[in-house]
Amino acid sequence: MSDEYKGFKIFHLPPKYFAMFSAVVLLSAMLGVLPAGMAGCFAFMIVCGAILQEIGDNLPIVNTFLGGGPVVIIFGMGFLRYMNFFGAFDIISGIIGKGDFTATLMKNIDTFFKPTGAFLDFYIAALITGSILGMNRKLLIKAAARYFPAIFGAIIVSFGLVAAAGHFSGFGVVKAVLLIALPIMGGGMGAGAVPLSKIFESSGTMTAEEAISIMNPAVAIGNATSIVLAGILVKVLAGKFFNGQGALMKTGANDDPAEYEISPEMQKKRDKVTVTNLGIGLLVSTTFFAWGYIVAGTWIKLVPSVNIHAYAWMIITVALCKVFNVLPEFIEVCCYQWFQFVMGNLTSMLMVGIGLCYLSLDVVISSFSMMYLLMCFLACIGAFIGAGLVGSFVGFYPVEAGITAGLCMSNMGGTGDVAVLSAAHRMELMPFAQISSRLGGAIILIIGSLMLSTLGSML
């Protein structure tokens, strides 16, 4: 690669080329000729998402504690719409084009994103299938025996503390658990709050817009709190009984993290991306998604009182296929590559759509309070305590269990894992943190589906 293509990039491109393409996209929008539907929306949303991603990833404090790019994209686009910032372009559009930049653009994006949620489903299908099939099988099986109990300990104590705060404050137990604890423990925005909002909408409790507007601030606050707690608690709980100094399992039962990492041979296969592989990954991920709807439709006929969302059935099916080696290795590789492609190229675009179509700053502002902040804190500290306590009973050091099975549940997924483990100086525990972010987040979707089917009417 020549020097011209090295260095700083925006959306994988040298800045001058990104600027050229962005200018064409924005000009077409102002002229009122930006194509409607997927083609125009993809172009405009990728441009906006890439710019805000760079801003968020390079803002001090925001990039370290608040989630960086994804948070800035969501709240940035929501703020721009709330302040009618795009209305300023109507003046320019009126001079050089049709003068209806805001109305036309927002209508196109709303139509693309909201009626069926098709793009969200497409993204989530790739995320769930690829992330689970891309895990180390040994790690997944081992986790079921010891690590999952620690995760459930984190969930139970976190939910319990938030429920208690909701009760004594008058906020409401069900409301506190479903709208604060659940999204914080859900594994971030794309894999947590977004699919949860769809589950909320399908259960009839509230619209996806209302759910996202209340849950997203909780996810961002939970991420910041988890990172700070990780840095503090490793120092406060420094005794040998509590602290394994980076070892998760106690003496005599230590696992070698290398055993649960992806082998060099497998990594070579993953790195060899082909168009054919991406096509297979697309087919398999959407097929699993369709299967989830088949099972969900059958289940609701058999047990109409408990409505389990198709996402939950999809997660269960993919996990079982991984554990029992149902699919050949090359299909798993294809699904992982497709997941990496979608996550790496379409995540910022997805966040733009969420910020414009699903985030209502009016609801965010009305929901925000000191009690809201307190419940977010209790969700995180409860996750640490619950994972630490249960972890100590299954042979883990409480600090390491609390960080990986607790705080890596209450942070914002992959980037949150890196930040939490960096703050705690425990990067060697990344394989275990992945379980919390991937499978822990999947467990939360299943729990959320069950809880909403039984408690949703109490919101």
Side-chain angles (χ1 to χ4, degrees), residues 88 117 142 198 263 273 278 349 409 444:
K142 188 77 172 182
K198 295 275 289 176
S263 67
V273 182
L278 296 179
M349 188 196 112
M409 280 282 290
I444 289 296

Side-chain angles (χ1 to χ4, degrees), residues 159-171:
F159 282 19
L161 290 181
V162 173
H167 171 71
F168 290 112
S169 69
F171 187 85

Side-chain angles (χ1 to χ4, degrees), residues 8 29 39 56 72 118 120 142 151 158 209 212 225 252 271 287 307 340 346 348 368 402 418:
F8 175 70
V72 170
L120 289 176
K142 188 77 172 182
I151 286 178
S158 177
E209 295 97 315
I212 279 283
T225 303
D271 291 341
T287 301
N307 181 18
Q340 289 291 317
L346 302 183
S348 61
F368 209 72
V418 173

Side-chain angles (χ1 to χ4, degrees), residues 195-212:
L196 278 173
S197 71
K198 295 275 289 176
I199 294 173
F200 268 85
E201 189 166 66
S202 69
S203 68
T205 54
M206 63 176 63
T207 66
E209 295 97 315
E210 292 172 324
I212 279 283

Side-chain angles (χ1 to χ4, degrees), residues 62-387:
V62 173
N63 63 356
T64 305
F65 296 106
L66 297 179
V71 171
V72 170
I73 295 171
I74 292 175
F75 286 97
M77 296 306 294
F79 179 76
L80 292 177
R81 189 165 191 179
Y82 177 74
M83 297 299 293
N84 194 29
F85 174 82
F86 294 112
F89 288 101
D90 286 332
I91 300 173
I92 303 172
S93 183
I95 298 172
I96 64 175
K98 297 181 180 180
D100 58 355
F101 174 88
T102 304
T104 302
L105 183 65
M106 292 304 109
K107 181 181 178 181
N108 286 346
I109 293 176
D110 282 347
T111 302
F112 174 61
F113 241 74
K114 292 177 70 172
T116 62
F119 181 72
L120 289 176
D121 291 340
F122 174 81
Y123 180 93
I124 291 165
L127 193 72
I128 291 173
T129 304
S131 63
I132 295 177
L133 292 181
M135 290 190 68
N136 181 297
R137 182 172 171 271
K138 288 183 180 179
L139 181 60
L140 180 57
I141 295 172
K142 188 77 172 182
R146 294 193 180 194
Y147 199 73
F148 277 173
I151 286 178
F152 280 108
I155 294 170
I156 291 169
V157 177
S158 177
F159 282 19
L161 290 181
V162 173
H167 171 71
F168 290 112
S169 69
F171 187 85
V173 173
V174 175
K175 187 178 177 182
V177 171
L178 292 181
L179 295 177
I180 296 179
L182 197 66
I184 285 178
M185 299 295 285
M189 300 288 191
V194 174
L196 278 173
S197 71
K198 295 275 289 176
I199 294 173
F200 268 85
E201 189 166 66
S202 69
S203 68
T205 54
M206 63 176 63
T207 66
E209 295 97 315
E210 292 172 324
I212 279 283
S213 298
I214 297 172
M215 292 191 294
N216 273 2
V219 173
I221 295 166
N223 187 60
T225 303
S226 298
I227 297 166
V228 173
L229 285 175
I232 294 173
L233 291 173
V234 292
K235 297 179 177 65
V236 174
L237 301 173
K240 291 182 179 180
F241 174 80
F242 297 103
N243 199 320
Q245 303 299 324
L248 177 63
M249 302 184 73
K250 293 182 178 178
T251 304
N254 270 309
D255 278 349
D256 179 7
E259 181 184 355
Y260 301 123
E261 294 175 353
I262 302 301
S263 67
E265 294 77 15
M266 174 60 76
Q267 193 58 52
K268 287 181 181 178
K269 294 177 182 178
R270 289 183 173 186
D271 291 341
K272 192 177 180 180
V273 182
T274 67
V275 174
T276 302
N277 286 2
L278 296 179
I280 293 172
L282 167 61
L283 172 62
V284 174
S285 64
T286 50
T287 301
F288 271 118
F289 187 69
W291 171 255
Y293 272 92
I294 291 173
V295 181
T298 305
W299 174 268
I300 197 64
K301 291 178 181 178
L302 297 174
V303 190
S305 60
V306 181
N307 181 18
I308 301 178
H309 196 274
Y311 290 162
W313 292 116
M314 179 185 178
I315 291 163
I316 293 169
T317 305
V318 176
L320 289 174
C321 286
K322 180 66 179 181
V323 169
F324 293 104
N325 266 336
V326 173
L327 297 175
E329 184 183 87
F330 85 92
I331 290 182
E332 293 187 353
V333 170
C334 292
C335 291
Y336 178 80
Q337 290 178 349
W338 173 243
F339 149 65
Q340 289 291 317
F341 172 82
V342 170
M343 186 177 67
N345 293 291
L346 302 183
T347 297
S348 61
M349 188 196 112
L350 176 78
M351 298 303 155
V352 169
I354 292 169
L356 287 177
C357 302
Y358 288 93
L359 183 67
S360 172
L361 284 185
D362 291 330
V363 177
V364 172
I365 294 168
S366 64
S367 302
F368 209 72
S369 64
M370 287 304 297
M371 181 49 62
Y372 187 97
L373 289 172
L374 175 61
M375 286 188 286
C376 290
F377 172 79
L378 290 174
C380 298
I381 195 67
F384 179 87
I385 293 171

